[in-house]
Amino acid sequence: MNSRTTLSRQHIRRHSLAYDNGRRAAAARRTRACILRAAADLFLANGYGATTIREVARAAGVSQETIYKSTGGKAPLLKAVWDVTLAGDDEDLPLAARPEAQAVRAATNPDQAATAYAELAAVVSARTDPLLRLLLGARGSDPALGEFADEVDAERLAGSSAVVRHWFAAGWIRPDLTAEKAGQILWALNSPGPRWHLLDIGWSSAEFTTWLADTIRRSILA
């Protein structure tokens, strides 16, 4: 066997291994997507407490062991469902890197910034509110839900603070506010409570978005 034949076989072997690895990764991703869809449907239909890994496995057409290997137990599964719901899909792309979030950073003045942020909040809340209402409403029934609520709040505060730091660097924050305080105000304005209170008494999503943008302008922007 000459060196050219050996190199050719090695190339074929490497190509075959890469192809097999790609197929396995794609299959694992499809399986994970099925698990997350099934879990989301069951959480919404039955609540967190009444949903079991066995039921999720049955609905997804996989074994319970597959779920534990893919996402972990029920609490990590809930967080995975939340992350996909928040982003809108299971692509490996954080919310901050998506077009609706990039529009906030692309704003060229405070008025555009407030509008872009309120529109981002509307997009995200439309995706997450059904699940969030259900889970936060039952958080006293399970320690895992309390931990989930705390984690979601912390992530939202981190996101609000990151946006405000960008605005602060641009000179758009009121001079009597620190970046930290302004981030906390933005976090509070975009918390579920105000949104749900107003939507539940009959406000449309568009009305709330307009109110949020205007309130951001008045509260923290110069």
Side-chain angles (χ1 to χ4, degrees):
M1 183 184 298
N2 59 39
S3 60
R4 182 174 298 178
T5 301
T6 301
L7 288 173
S8 177
R9 289 183 176 178
Q10 290 174 345
H11 174 76
I12 292 171
R13 188 179 300 111
R14 285 195 298 269
H15 179 76
S16 177
L17 287 172
Y19 179 72
D20 288 343
N21 289 337
R23 288 183 62 186
R24 283 195 292 269
R29 185 171 177 176
R30 287 193 299 270
T31 298
R32 178 180 169 86
C34 287
I35 292 169
L36 296 182
R37 282 196 301 270
D41 289 344
L42 287 167
F43 286 146
L44 287 170
N46 303 330
Y48 177 80
T51 298
T52 66
I53 293 294
R54 176 176 295 180
E55 290 173 330
V56 175
R58 185 183 302 116
V62 300
S63 68
Q64 295 181 63
E65 182 182 7
T66 297
I67 294 179
Y68 284 111
K69 287 182 177 179
S70 175
T71 62
K74 194 164 73 165
L77 177 59
L78 170 61
K79 185 58 170 61
V81 168
W82 168 257
D83 289 341
V84 169
T85 304
L86 180 68
D89 55 49
D90 64 345
E91 295 294 327
D92 188 19
L93 187 67
L95 180 63
R98 292 172 182 265
E100 57 267 32
Q102 288 295 302
V104 179
R105 297 188 66 85
T108 58
N109 59 62
D111 185 66
Q112 287 182 6
T115 298
Y117 185 87
E119 289 175 348
L120 169 63
V123 170
V124 171
S125 62
R127 292 197 291 247
T128 61
D129 271 1
L131 181 62
L132 196 59
R133 279 181 182 263
L134 178 75
L135 297 174
L136 294 190
R139 64 178 161 183
S141 65
D142 192 304
L145 293 183
E147 293 173 5
F148 168 80
D150 291 343
E151 188 172 358
V152 168
D153 264 351
E155 289 178 351
R156 198 164 48 76
L157 178 57
S160 298
S161 299
V163 169
V164 165
R165 284 194 297 270
H166 174 68
W167 292 350
F168 192 86
W172 296 345
I173 298 298
R174 276 174 32 190
D176 59 321
L177 291 175
T178 63
E180 181 182 15
K181 182 72 72 175
Q184 292 167 350
I185 293 171
L186 185 63
W187 170 74
L189 289 174
N190 190 34
S191 64
R195 181 171 68 251
W196 294 348
H197 286 321
L198 293 173
L199 293 179
D200 288 349
I201 64 170
W203 282 37
S204 68
S205 178
E207 287 174 324
F208 178 81
T209 301
T210 299
W211 172 85
L212 180 59
D214 187 53
T215 306
I216 290 170
R217 294 185 190 100
R218 295 172 182 272
S219 299
I220 65 175
L221 294 179

